[in-house]
Amino acid sequence: MTINTLFIAAEADPFIKVGGLGDVAGSLPVAIHNISKNNVDDSEVDIRLVLPFHFGIKQKGFQPELLGEFNVLSTDGPIQCQVYQTELEGMPVYFLDGNPIDEKSPVYAPEPILDGYKYVFFSLAALGLADFLDWRVDVLQANDWHTATAIYALKTGRIKLDQPTQPMTLHTLHNLPFMGFGIQQAFLDYGIPSAEDKILPEWARHAPLPLGLLTADKIVAVSPHYAEEILTPEFGCGLEDFLKTRSSNISGILNGLDTKVWNPETDPNLHKNYSTTSLNLRSLNKLDLQSRFDLVTRDDIPLVTLVSRMDPQKGIDIAIKGLRYCDDLPWQAIILGTGNPVVENMARSLEADYPDRVRSVIKFDSTLAHQLYASADIFMMPSRYEPCGLSQMISMRYGCAPIARATGGLVDTIQHVSHKVNGGTGFLFDRPYPSVFASVLKRALHLCHQPEIWRQIQLNGMQIDFSWEKSARRYIDVYKDLINS
Ligand code: GLC
């Protein structure tokens, strides 16, 4: 039997991408679609992606076909929803439009209530789409807080689909702290009740994310380690005790990487392509970048980099302070990213204090990001928490050893270089303090000067298979479990 899966998300690459959710929603459903299409192991899944028709998608010039419209009910009466269809590698993709969405607002508005109206409407509309298409949904997969309302609306009976049995639900958790607070009025206006279940703390009973987590048949965190961490006070954001009651339905599946885009052998952004068999060519990228950034051009000076959204989650302050502790050693650093002004200024002051060895590039620059992965020796990822993380996988694939905090998906993807290198691919540190970061960085900087060891670390990382296929199969297994339960 084919499993029909409706995959709903706030963003998906290549249509629109703000963060890691966009990477996942743009590649996981396609990976599942492709496995199913090739029908390698009878895993028949008809998966379809649904997105809000954001202004940003329209601006990019995508021209989907208008299929028609239907109504979403609010307490003030019906609100029209227009349905558009396109495809991504043969997988059907729907864009839903309507008044709460088509304002010229970004994917995530600064005012919570605007996002509340947009995403509550979208979540309900995504369910309405199934009836509009007359397409049976077996599994509904929602992502993060934005679409959690769809799960909750189904499970509370606020929405009932016109099909004999209601869909099973899967809630994928990419980022627990973002719960969707401040949208209560939108819940009221769409007739969504707050939860009464005492198992949830009182403060969490009106926010979409906890309500999705409360009612989903299964919860999948984006890495096995994060699935465990959310049960602890440090990472559970106050929901740890509640989540423990759901632990038999929580699992972790690691995100994958688009290995076609991220391939140093073919990446068109690089000065010089290379692979595991031509690793010696890699340093040409470093020399090129050093000269472009007016740094001393010497392969034997370790180049460290950081490419990130400048968000407190990412712990960039830890790396910046940590680098200062290591200024008795030779290194150069190029920092790329934009976001929080306080963090941006910390990066600028580092460059001001070390003008001969630091460059801070405060912007979003995808081409430069590719070049940094291919040039630097060390990639810094001192995240305070990291549900999965993508950059560490990219850096390893490009032969750039990550230094990362031992949290979330970083633990699941990076093999710490212990005294014997063995299969080590990078460096993990425990507590998020600059001094702890610095001591690991110092060790990495010393190892950089031992070419044989360093080459082994690079090759170990480059050889890991981070492709989506394995994870996509695990999601298909979850769909099967849901259907059979
Ligand atoms: C969020 C998390 C990140 C994860 C991404 C995709 O952005 O912070 O760790 O990789 O979602 O799941």
Side-chain angles (χ1 to χ4, degrees):
M1 186 195 96
T2 304
I3 302 177
N4 290 349
T5 301
L6 194 65
F7 188 103
I8 57 177
E11 49 171 300
D13 202 34
F15 304 109
I16 191 134
K17 183 184 126 172
V18 179
L21 172 60
D23 289 308
V24 175
S27 41
L28 168 61
V30 174
I32 292 172
H33 171 83
N34 286 337
I35 289 175
S36 193
K37 193 175 62 188
N38 302 329
N39 206 1
V40 193
D41 48 9
D42 283 338
S43 312
E44 273 244 48
V45 177
D46 180 353
I47 189 163
R48 303 184 182 195
L49 170 66
V50 193
L51 297 172
F53 201 0
H54 293 292
F55 182 61
I57 302 183
K58 294 172 192 164
Q59 269 181 320
K60 271 194 176 174
F62 286 103
Q63 292 187 331
E65 178 195 355
L66 176 65
L67 292 187
E69 59 184 23
F70 63 88
N71 285 329
V72 173
L73 283 186
S74 78
T75 47
D76 276 344
I79 299 183
Q80 280 182 343
C81 171
Q82 292 82 36
V83 182
Y84 294 83
Q85 181 175 14
T86 181
E87 58 164 64
L88 185 57
E89 293 185 34
M91 173 187 70
V93 179
Y94 302 95
F95 299 137
L96 302 182
D97 209 349
N99 264 340
I101 291 167
D102 75 5
E103 294 165 49
K104 295 190 176 174
S105 75
V107 175
Y108 307 115
E111 307 85 357
I113 189 60
L114 276 188
D115 268 357
Y117 282 115
K118 177 166 59 194
Y119 287 115
V120 171
F121 169 79
F122 172 66
S123 299
L124 300 184
L127 294 172
L129 173 70
D131 286 345
F132 171 84
L133 296 172
D134 196 15
W135 184 67
R136 183 196 77 239
V137 180
D138 299 311
V139 175
L140 170 76
Q141 180 167 2
N143 295 274
D144 275 351
W145 80 262
H146 329 98
T147 46
T149 306
I151 296 177
Y152 186 62
L154 262 184
K155 294 296 178 178
T156 51
R158 161 67 180 81
I159 300 266
K160 195 161 182 291
L161 298 190
D162 189 12
Q163 57 183 56
T165 43
Q166 296 303 298
M168 298 300 282
T169 54
L170 163 58
H171 198 175
T172 300
L173 183 62
H174 302 258
N175 209 331
L176 183 59
F178 294 84
M179 298 195 192
F181 288 119
I183 68 138
Q184 226 169 322
Q185 192 57 44
F187 265 10
L188 291 174
D189 290 359
Y190 282 93
I192 312 266
S194 297
E196 311 228 314
D197 201 325
K198 299 235 170 356
I199 206 164
L200 260 191
E202 171 28 61
W203 54 264
R205 291 183 206 156
H206 328 276
L209 185 84
L211 297 176
L213 297 173
L214 175 71
T215 46
D217 296 302
K218 284 206 185 292
I219 298 166
V220 173
V222 289
S223 69
H225 200 73
Y226 193 56
E228 287 170 21
E229 283 179 337
I230 55 173
L231 307 180
T232 65
E234 187 179 358
F235 298 97
C237 304
L239 290 183
E240 55 278 7
D241 290 337
F242 152 69
L243 286 168
K244 275 188 214 149
T245 68
R246 298 237 51 205
S247 61
S248 59
N249 291 302
I250 302 178
S251 59
I253 301 180
L254 206 58
N255 290 334
L257 181 70
D258 187 334
T259 46
K260 279 196 235 108
V261 172
W262 296 106
N263 182 355
E265 211 172 340
T266 52
D267 189 334
N269 300 292
L270 307 192
H271 172 69
K272 190 79 200 168
N273 290 108
Y274 58 94
S275 69
T276 47
T277 51
S278 55
L279 194 49
N280 54 325
L281 296 178
R282 188 178 187 274
S283 60
L284 297 176
N285 290 299
K286 175 171 168 181
L287 296 171
D288 177 59
L289 213 60
Q290 285 171 323
S291 96
R292 272 170 49 204
F293 278 91
D294 203 16
L295 293 164
V296 176
T297 44
R298 266 178 49 189
D299 190 28
D300 62 344
I301 304 178
L303 176 64
V304 295
T305 191
L306 187 156
V307 179
S308 177
R309 238 181 331 114
M310 295 206 164
D311 184 287
Q313 171 194 346
K314 301 294 178 184
I316 298 165
D317 50 311
I318 299 169
I320 290 176
K321 285 187 197 139
L323 279 169
R324 290 178 184 273
Y325 291 157
C326 300
D327 66 359
D328 52 334
L329 294 174
W331 52 259
Q332 298 167 336
I334 302 180
I335 295 173
L336 171 65
T338 166
N340 184 305
V342 178
V343 184
E344 289 179 351
N345 281 336
M346 290 180 84
R348 287 195 189 95
S349 345
L350 188 73
E351 174 171 340
D353 292 345
Y354 299 93
D356 53 341
R357 48 157 117 180
V358 177
R359 296 292 175 266
S360 293
V361 187
I362 308 299
K363 62 175 177 181
F364 178 84
D365 185 338
S366 164
T367 305
L368 178 58
H370 283 249
Q371 293 165 347
L372 284 167
Y373 288 115
S375 308
D377 302 287
I378 295 172
F379 187 88
M380 305 182 287
M381 202 159 171
S383 307
R384 295 199 155 76
Y385 71 94
E386 196 63 74
C388 180
L390 199 62
S391 311
Q392 81 279 17
M393 297 191 229
I394 301 171
S395 71
M396 287 183 274
R397 188 158 161 80
Y398 277 59
C400 180
I403 294 191
R405 170 143 193 241
T407 180
L410 299 171
V411 175
D412 293 314
T413 49
I414 299 170
Q415 188 70 39
H416 180 66
V417 175
S418 53
H419 291 297
K420 287 196 191 124
V421 173
N422 292 333
T425 60
F427 304 83
L428 291 169
F429 64 96
D430 211 8
R431 305 310 301 169
Y433 305 134
S435 56
V436 181
F437 170 83
S439 68
V440 182
L441 177 61
K442 281 190 178 168
R443 181 160 169 251
L445 288 169
H446 283 301
L447 286 179
C448 266
H449 296 294
Q450 302 185 38
E452 266 173 43
I453 291 185
W454 198 256
R455 196 180 163 81
Q456 190 54 52
I457 296 171
Q458 289 178 299
L459 289 174
N460 288 343
M462 291 174 81
Q463 281 158 357
I464 300 177
D465 175 11
F466 288 120
S467 65
W468 264 109
E469 172 129 0
K470 239 185 304 166
S471 314
R473 281 184 200 286
R474 296 222 32 223
Y475 272 100
I476 294 175
D477 288 341
V478 176
Y479 301 161
K480 288 182 182 161
D481 281 356
L482 281 168
I483 295 302
N484 296 330
S485 62

